[in-house]
Structures are given as C-alpha cells and as structure tokens.
C-alpha cells in the first residue's frame, strides 16, 4: 500500500496535474492536496501518465490552489463507511453528514472532515457466533436494532479465507469504534473487527447467488404497476424534458413503493429541488408504518452548485450503501436524479483530460459506465437462504427532450423498464405524464400480461382514431370508431391518471388495482346502443365523472360500495350489458 507524495504542476478547474516525488501511485486511490490555508482537499487519481505525472479529480473547490502545493497519496481507494447509523442521515457524495456540517458552518467550507457515522452512539449488539467458530467475509457476527430493521453486523466483505474467532464480546451496548470481535487467519495473524468497515465505492459487492428479477414491485402508481412495471431487483429509467414531472414521480415512488429501504441520490439536480427533499422528507409520514419516512431513507445530496467531480462519487456512494442493505436481506430502491448531470460531469472531466470525444462530446466509454452502474442492481440469494434485492430507477434529463442523445440511448440499453415522460401530457396536466404508447417494460405486471396487452391495444386504437379526427373532424369517422375513442379516453382519465396530492387516489395497492381493472374492462367490453356523437360524448363524460368520484373513496369507506353500485346502474341504464361487475 503506497504512501506516496507529490507536487501540484497544473490546475484546470477540478482536474489537477501532480508530479510524484516519492513512491508509486495507482488509479483510483485517494489523495489529499495541502493548500495555503492549511486545509486538505480530497481528490481521486483518475489517470497515471508515464514519467511520474498523475491527474486527480478534486471533489472540492480548487480556488486559490497553486503550483507547488504538496500532495499526499493515501494508498486507499475512495470508500464508504458501512455500519449502523446510515438510515435517516443526509450526506454529500463523500459521505460527509450535511446536518452536522451545517451546525459547524453556515456555509459548507471546503476541507472540513466529519466522521460519516456517529462514533458516540451506542448500539445494542447481540452476538450470534461464539469463540472458536470458523467464518469468512460476509458472515454475520450478530445484529443491532436500527430504526425499523434488524441490522446484521458482518465480517468485512474484503476478508478472504477461513478465520477463527478468538474473542467475541457479550451482548451489550457498544459504539461502532469499539472492537467487538478478534479473528485469526490461517497464518496466525489477528484482526480486530468493529461494527463498521470501509468498502470501495466503485467496486461492486460480489453476489452470493444472483437471481432473475421477476417479482413485481408495487409502486402505487397505476400506469406503472398495470402497464410498465418494475420488479424487485430491476432497473428503470424515466427520461423527460424540464417540467414533465420527474421529481414528483420520484417522490411518489419513494413514499409508496413497497421497497424496505429508499436511497435518494441527488446527483447534480438544482439546489432548490434538493433542498426541498432535505426539508420535506424528515416531515413526511410513512404510510406503511405511521412513522417518519426518514426511518427507512438515506439521502445523498450533490447539487448542481456543488463541485462537478463529486457528482460521480454520489452515484457510487448511494449504490454501495444499497448493496450493503441488500446483503441485510432487504429490498432496496435507489432513485438517482439525475444521471444526465452525472454524465455531464464525466464529460467535463473527459474534456479536461483531452480524451477523444464521442457523440455530443461525451466520453467514448459513457455506455460502459452507465451499463456497469445499472448492472449493480439485482436479486441476491444470501447464504442463510434469505433474499435481498436492489432496484435502480434513474431519471434522465435530455436537452430539449431529445431521447436520441447518447445518455438516454445508453440508459435504454441498460435498463429493463422505460418510462418516457411526454411534454404534451404534462402540458395537458395529465399525471403521471408517462407516454402511454412508447414506454416499455420487460418485467411481469401485477395484472396478467394479456390484460396489460388488452389495455395497450385500446390506447393505440384511441391514438390512431384521434389522429384521424385531427384530419377529418368528428364527422369524418363512424359512431363505432368514436365510441372506441371515448373508451380509450375514459381508460386514460380514470385508470392511468392519478392525483398525487390526494391520500386515496395518490396511491393504489394491488387489491384496488384489480378492482379498478375489472370495472374498466367490463365498461370497455360492453356494447353501446347510443347513437350520435353528442349523445356518446355526453354519456362518457357522465360516466367518467362518476368513476373519478369513486377513485377518491377509500376501500373501507361506506360510500365505496354505494358508488360502485351507482356506476353499475349508470352503465346498464345507458346501453351497456354489464354483468358480474
């Protein structure tokens, strides 16, 4: 492990050239740059040139840095500290706790270092191994309670080979800095273990046994669950132009999806939006537990006003924490907002390194990096038989809503579900503004596949008829086609659209989704005896409003069944044959 030294020879924004003066340096290791005011700026080696010159990307402001400043190489990669205390915290991309930093300084001063996890809090540790047991990396020594969950304390995953326990503490209260076990390797070397350990953020944790994502993850969003689902351990992207509802959609997924743990990676979003997350989430009540939503949330914040290089770190930081909690046997959901700004940070760094640019000046290897990021999602069968999963949903913000740009295309190739946000739908105030025709998913829906296909066929027919109406007007199509069009409009209005601000309509569970689909299908399948465009339109408007009123009634509301009966009666009175509703 190197402990090299060097001197700054060039400064180009966040890219700093360093000439090594002592020892060897490797790609990926962390270096500390000593500036004039005595502070140390953290950086990472991203390129090693012949002749002893290396390039660092600095995670903090490089203002007032000068040629000749001393550099100390740590010999260690950029890592995250894993252990109890992560849930409920808000950090930047280097795992500096933002709330603790705010208490020290009104502005986030560069060079400040704070322990990522509280070293004074005591956790009640219960051992599940004993002296003399043989174990290896990834085996649980015991557990502590953390918020809503039982947090397993592992032997660090980096430890290989069989080790023997020579000492294990009894059940009691300990801090993460205290030694809880001592193990001996095959050569007789002793290793002291604490509750927390480090893991390199850019190194994916190995799967014990990987499985295929095939169990749908309910999100509470009807259009996703019914038509374009995501599975536990799956991946999805939702590209869209500014103002199309990406952030609102992510907030709904954070609150209502059936994941155990939610990790929000604000990698390059505008500071105002990120601050809204920081302020709102601690005040939100988790509808599943009745407690604070932060009890099962971890937020990594690197906004557009923070140094560019730290955006990349924030993405990998969130992913590594997600992999750790997957090892706990939990279902984890990462919401990355926005991967486009992460890619833009990579483009800036690549340009300063004078690499050969790819399409739109993004690095040639951008597809490889995006694919590697999403590949860290998945379902894992653990050694004790439990199953954990890590799902990743990334937003993409293509300039001008152009889905043909490199980042969007690379993301589409790497994810299993595509939720394209439409400017036309968002302008029409249709939420979620997920495109009903162009969006796709390879995962099984909560409904049956043939049922989802049935709805999509109606939507495609409705769009085709609407195009004909633009050319020929209502008089240019038959009553039969107009009825088909009205059925598609009704499906969109009462089933695919939701009011995210209403506590009932804002989230739809699998049971209610099935009830709604059954009623909608009966309405769509039933013949209509009404004639004349005006009468047909009036009929569907009346029926649509009655259905929307039903959407705002809770399942246990005494009015719920009455409104359903009213809908059935309206259908029969207006020319439908609606049986078995």
């Amino acid at each position: 492990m190197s402990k090299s030294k060097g001197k700054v020879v060039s400064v180009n924004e966040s890219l700093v050239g360093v000439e090594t003066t002592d020892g060897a340096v490797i790609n990926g290791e962390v270096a500390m740059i000593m500036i004039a005011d005595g502070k140390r700026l953290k950086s990472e080696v991203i390129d090693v040139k012949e002749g002893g010159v290396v390039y660092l990307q600095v995670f903090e402001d490089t203002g007032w840095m000068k040629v000749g400043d001393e550099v100390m190489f740590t010999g260690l990669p950029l890592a995250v500290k894993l252990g109890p205390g992560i849930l409920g915290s808000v950090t930047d991309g280097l795992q500096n706790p933002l709330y603790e930093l705010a208490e020290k300084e009104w502005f986030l001063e560069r060079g400040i270092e704070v322990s990522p996890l509280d070293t004074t809090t005591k956790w009640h540790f219960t051992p599940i191994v004993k002296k003399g047991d043989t174990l290896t990396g990834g085996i649980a020594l015991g557990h502590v309670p953390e918020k809503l969950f039982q947090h397993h304390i592992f032997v660090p995953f980096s430890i290989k080979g069989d080790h023997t326990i020579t000492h294990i503490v009894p059940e009691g209260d300990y801090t993460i800095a205290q030694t809880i076990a001592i193990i001996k390797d095959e050569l007789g070397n002793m290793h002291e273990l604490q509750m927390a350990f480090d893991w390199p953020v850019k190194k994916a944790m190995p799967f014990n046994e990987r499985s295929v994502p095939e169990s749908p993850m309910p999100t509470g969003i009807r259009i996703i669950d019914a038509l374009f689902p995501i599975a536990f351990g799956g991946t999805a992207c939702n590209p869209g132009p500014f103002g199309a509802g990406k952030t609102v959609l992510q907030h709904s997924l954070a609150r209502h999806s059936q994941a155990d743990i939610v990790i929000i990676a604000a990698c390059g979003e505008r500071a105002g939006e990120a601050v809204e997350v920081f302020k709102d989430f601690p005040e939100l009540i988790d509808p599943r537990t009745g407690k604070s939503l932060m009890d099962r949330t971890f937020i990594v914040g690197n906004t557009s006003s923070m140094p560019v290089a730290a955006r990349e770190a924030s993405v990998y930081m969130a992913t590594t924490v997600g992999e750790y909690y997957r090892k706990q046997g939990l279902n984890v959901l990462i919401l990355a907002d926005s991967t486009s700004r992460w890619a833009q940070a990579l483009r800036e760094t690549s340009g300063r390194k004078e690499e050969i640019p790819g399409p739109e000046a993004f690095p040639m290897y951008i597809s490889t990096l995006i694919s590697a990021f999403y590949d860290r999602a998945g379902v894992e069968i653990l050694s004790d038989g439990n199953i954990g999963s890590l799902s990743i949903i990334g937003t993409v913000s293509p300039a001008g809503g152009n889905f043909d740009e490199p980042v969007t295309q690379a993301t589409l190739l790497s994810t299993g579900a595509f939720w394209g946000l439409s400017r036309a739908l968002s302008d029409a105030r249709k939420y979620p503004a997920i495109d009903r025709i162009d969006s796709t998913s390879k995962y099984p829906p909560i409904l049956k596949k043939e049922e989802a296909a049935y709805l999509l066929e109606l939507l495609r027919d409705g769009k085709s008829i609407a195009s004909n109406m633009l050319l020929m007007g209502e008089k240019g199509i038959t009553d039969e086609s107009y009825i088909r069009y009205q059925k598609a409009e009704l499906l969109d209005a009462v089933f695919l659209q939701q009011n995210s601000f209403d506590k009932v309509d804002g989230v739809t569970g699998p049971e209610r989704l099935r009830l709604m689909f059954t009623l909608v299908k009966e309405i769509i399948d039933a013949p209509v005896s009404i004639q004349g465009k005006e009468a047909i339109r009036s009929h569907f408007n009346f029926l649509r409003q009655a259905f929307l009123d039903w959407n705002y009634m809770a399942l246990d509301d005494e009015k719920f069944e009455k409104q359903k009966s009213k809908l059935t009666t309206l259908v029969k009175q207006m020319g439908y044959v609606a049986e078995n509703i």
Side-chain angles (χ1 to χ4, degrees), residues 172-194:
D173 297 333
Y174 306 91
T175 68
I176 62 170
Q178 290 180 275
T179 298
I180 59 169
I182 300 175
I183 58 176
K184 181 173 66 175
D185 62 23
E186 295 173 338
L187 299 177
N189 299 315
M190 297 293 184
H191 305 271
E192 294 186 356
L193 305 182
Q194 291 81 36

Side-chain angles (χ1 to χ4, degrees), residues 559-570:
K559 297 180 181 179
F560 181 84
E561 289 297 332
K562 291 181 180 179
Q563 186 68 13
K564 184 180 176 183
S565 298
K566 179 181 177 181
L567 275 168
T568 304
T569 302
L570 286 172

Side-chain angles (χ1 to χ4, degrees), residues 152 154 157 205-208 322-330 380 382 388:
H152 297 288
F154 296 114
F157 304 131
M205 291 185 188
F207 283 83
N208 179 68
E323 290 174 326
Y324 176 66
Y325 278 98
R326 178 174 61 193
K327 292 285 187 184
Q328 303 281 348
L330 299 172
E380 181 173 5
L382 305 171

Side-chain angles (χ1 to χ4, degrees), residues 3-22:
K3 289 284 187 178
S4 307
K5 297 179 181 180
K7 297 286 185 181
V8 172
V9 294
S10 66
V11 181
N12 183 3
E13 297 289 343
S14 62
L15 186 71
V16 174
V18 174
E19 184 177 30
T20 56
T21 58
D22 178 25

Side-chain angles (χ1 to χ4, degrees), residues 321-447:
V321 171
E323 290 174 326
Y324 176 66
Y325 278 98
R326 178 174 61 193
K327 292 285 187 184
Q328 303 281 348
L330 299 172
N331 295 312
V332 185
L333 172 63
I334 291 179
L335 301 171
D337 189 9
S338 131
T339 56
S340 288
R341 292 183 173 88
W342 164 48
Q344 289 165 10
L346 295 173
R347 178 169 61 185
E348 291 186 34
T349 302
S350 176
R352 290 169 188 152
K353 289 168 64 179
E354 300 181 355
E355 295 177 334
I356 298 175
E360 297 191 19
F362 285 103
M364 297 289 288
Y365 47 83
I366 189 68
S367 295
T368 302
L369 292 178
I370 290 175
S371 177
F373 165 60
Y374 284 105
D375 192 54
R376 293 174 71 167
V379 178
E380 181 173 5
I381 301 175
L382 305 171
S383 56
D384 58 4
N386 289 324
I387 296 177
S389 70
L390 173 60
S391 310
I392 300 178
I393 300 175
T395 68
V396 186
S397 306
N402 175 25
F403 289 178
D404 293 327
E405 59 89 38
V407 177
T408 304
Q409 288 300 307
T411 304
L412 287 176
L413 294 173
S414 306
T415 54
F418 165 62
W419 306 330
L421 298 180
S422 165
R423 166 63 70 187
L425 290 174
S426 64
D427 288 347
R429 301 296 187 266
K430 294 184 177 181
Y431 173 84
I434 296 173
D435 193 289
R436 282 76 164 123
I437 306 299
D438 294 334
S439 298
T440 60
S441 175
K442 69 179 183 181
Y443 303 115
I446 292 177
L447 301 177

Side-chain angles (χ1 to χ4, degrees), residues 32-353:
M32 308 301 291
I33 303 174
M34 318 301 174
I35 57 177
D37 60 5
K39 293 181 178 178
R40 309 190 319 160
L41 305 187
K42 182 178 284 189
S43 60
E44 179 188 23
V45 177
I46 59 173
D47 198 8
V48 179
K49 301 289 187 181
E50 293 184 6
V53 175
V54 301
Y55 285 98
L56 314 177
Q57 64 172 354
V58 185
F59 298 120
E60 302 184 71
D61 180 19
T62 57
W64 300 104
M65 187 181 294
K66 65 182 186 301
V67 171
D69 283 345
E70 185 179 358
V71 180
M72 299 292 294
F73 296 92
T74 65
L76 299 172
L78 184 65
V80 55
K81 186 166 288 294
L82 302 171
I86 294 177
L87 294 183
S89 65
V90 178
T91 75
D92 66 6
L94 304 178
Q95 210 185 3
N96 294 312
L98 294 182
Y99 288 144
E100 283 76 358
L101 287 175
E103 291 177 358
K104 292 178 176 292
E105 297 284 348
W106 179 253
F107 294 99
L108 297 181
E109 295 288 341
R110 62 180 180 173
I112 294 180
E113 294 183 58
V114 180
S115 175
L117 301 177
D118 191 341
T119 57
T120 61
T121 299
K122 290 194 173 183
W123 302 87
H124 189 78
F125 174 71
T126 303
I128 58 174
V129 296
K130 62 183 184 301
K131 183 178 179 180
D133 286 352
T134 301
L135 39 69
T136 187
I139 300 299
L141 296 168
H143 52 79
V144 302
E146 182 188 18
K147 304 292 186 181
L148 309 171
F149 309 101
Q150 187 182 83
H151 187 120
H152 297 288
I153 304 300
F154 296 114
V155 177
F157 304 131
S158 57
I159 289 181
K160 306 297 182 183
D162 290 337
H163 290 64
T164 303
I165 297 179
T166 61
H167 172 72
I168 183 77
V169 296
E171 180 177 352
D173 297 333
Y174 306 91
T175 68
I176 62 170
Q178 290 180 275
T179 298
I180 59 169
I182 300 175
I183 58 176
K184 181 173 66 175
D185 62 23
E186 295 173 338
L187 299 177
N189 299 315
M190 297 293 184
H191 305 271
E192 294 186 356
L193 305 182
Q194 291 81 36
M195 291 191 197
F197 60 89
D198 293 337
W199 182 266
V201 297
K202 293 185 179 179
K203 181 180 179 181
M205 291 185 188
F207 283 83
N208 179 68
E209 180 182 345
R210 192 163 189 166
S211 183
V212 177
E214 55 186 5
S215 178
M217 179 173 68
T219 65
I221 300 173
R222 293 192 291 267
I223 187 172
I224 293 177
D225 292 343
L227 301 181
F228 313 116
I230 182 173
F232 287 106
T235 56
C237 67
N238 58 318
F242 171 75
K246 296 188 295 294
T247 302
V248 175
L249 181 61
Q250 291 239 333
H251 286 194
S252 294
L253 289 167
R255 290 193 66 190
H256 303 302
S257 64
Q258 293 301 302
D260 298 314
I261 304 291
V262 176
I263 299 175
I264 298 175
C267 44
E269 272 303 293
R270 290 174 297 277
E273 290 188 5
V275 169
E276 184 178 340
V277 172
F278 300 159
K279 290 173 60 180
D280 290 352
F281 268 68
E283 299 177 1
L284 292 177
I285 300 299
D286 187 350
R288 292 165 54 186
T289 65
K291 299 181 180 180
S292 172
L293 185 62
M294 287 299 293
D295 285 352
R296 58 184 184 92
T297 302
F298 170 56
I299 300 176
V300 183
N302 261 103
T303 66
S304 57
S305 58
M306 291 181 174
V308 170
R311 296 181 194 174
E312 181 187 14
S314 65
V315 171
Y316 291 118
M317 178 74 62
T319 308
T320 305
V321 171
E323 290 174 326
Y324 176 66
Y325 278 98
R326 178 174 61 193
K327 292 285 187 184
Q328 303 281 348
L330 299 172
N331 295 312
V332 185
L333 172 63
I334 291 179
L335 301 171
D337 189 9
S338 131
T339 56
S340 288
R341 292 183 173 88
W342 164 48
Q344 289 165 10
L346 295 173
R347 178 169 61 185
E348 291 186 34
T349 302
S350 176
R352 290 169 188 152
K353 289 168 64 179

Side-chain angles (χ1 to χ4, degrees), residues 487-499:
K487 288 179 178 179
E489 288 293 290
L490 182 140
L491 170 63
D492 189 295
V494 305
F495 191 73
L496 302 184
Q497 295 180 45
Q498 288 178 256
N499 181 353

